[in-house]
Amino acid sequence: LVVSLAARLSPDHLTFVLVDYKGGSTFDVCSDLPHTVGVVTDLDDGLAERALVSLEAELIRRERLIRAVRANDLAEYRVAENVQTLPRLVVVIDEFAALAKELPVFLAALVGVAQRGRSLGIHLLLATQRPTGVVNDDIRANTNLRIALRLHDPADAKDVVGDELPTTFPRGVPG
């Protein structure tokens, strides 16, 4: 998904912060993309907290830029005259279940950043193979799109899309 988006859009339109709390190797191939503005892993103590401070600062920066041209959101800002480039920022978290277990406050703060930042062009993409118990009401309330590939556990399917249908996909069909 990250590579596909990067292939279609320039870094002027879309950037990524990649979060991998299982060693960091998931995003190795994406870390050198010009779209990638940061990579957060569990290998550096304190990096998650610094990333959160940076995201909060980015929220404030975007609010100021958008307000300065009297725009209501990123779309209105982009059509205003004489404005600096402001790409959408997608925070991609792989295996957010591991992150939720190790740093639940961090995940809750990220959901809050995404909720406040949606109109400012900041978005959150959560991925996991084990959603049971980590897709909470706050995440459900603040996600407007949920996708499930084939799942084995009906509880996982219910957590992600509210339906057991993903458990019925044939094994040969990826999702």
Side-chain angles (χ1 to χ4, degrees), residues 22 30 38 46-47 63 69 90 93 95 102-103 112 114 125 138 140 145 154 156 160 162 167 169 171:
K22 288 181 81 177
C30 299
L47 184 59
E63 287 172 342
V69 297
V90 180
I93 303 174
E95 283 307 331
E102 290 183 36
L103 295 172
L125 193 153
D138 199 29
R140 278 188 204 90
L145 176 65
D156 284 345
V160 176
T167 63
F169 298 158
R171 195 159 181 70

Side-chain angles (χ1 to χ4, degrees), residues 96 107-108 111 131 133-142 159:
F96 82 94
L107 182 61
V111 171
V134 292
V135 181
N136 60 31
D137 290 339
D138 199 29
I139 292 172
R140 278 188 204 90
N142 290 295
D159 264 357

Side-chain angles (χ1 to χ4, degrees), residues 5 9-17 35-37 58 61-62 66 73-76 78 85-91 117-123:
L5 288 169
L9 298 166
S10 84
D12 289 339
H13 294 284
L14 181 70
T15 56
F16 301 107
V17 170
H35 303 73
T36 302
V37 295
E58 180 64 13
R61 182 180 84 86
R62 286 170 179 256
I66 290 171
D73 57 24
L74 182 63
E76 285 184 21
R78 284 181 165 178
T85 301
L86 191 57
R88 292 192 179 277
L89 173 62
V90 180
V91 180
R118 193 174 303 136
S119 65
L120 305 172
I122 298 177
H123 308 281

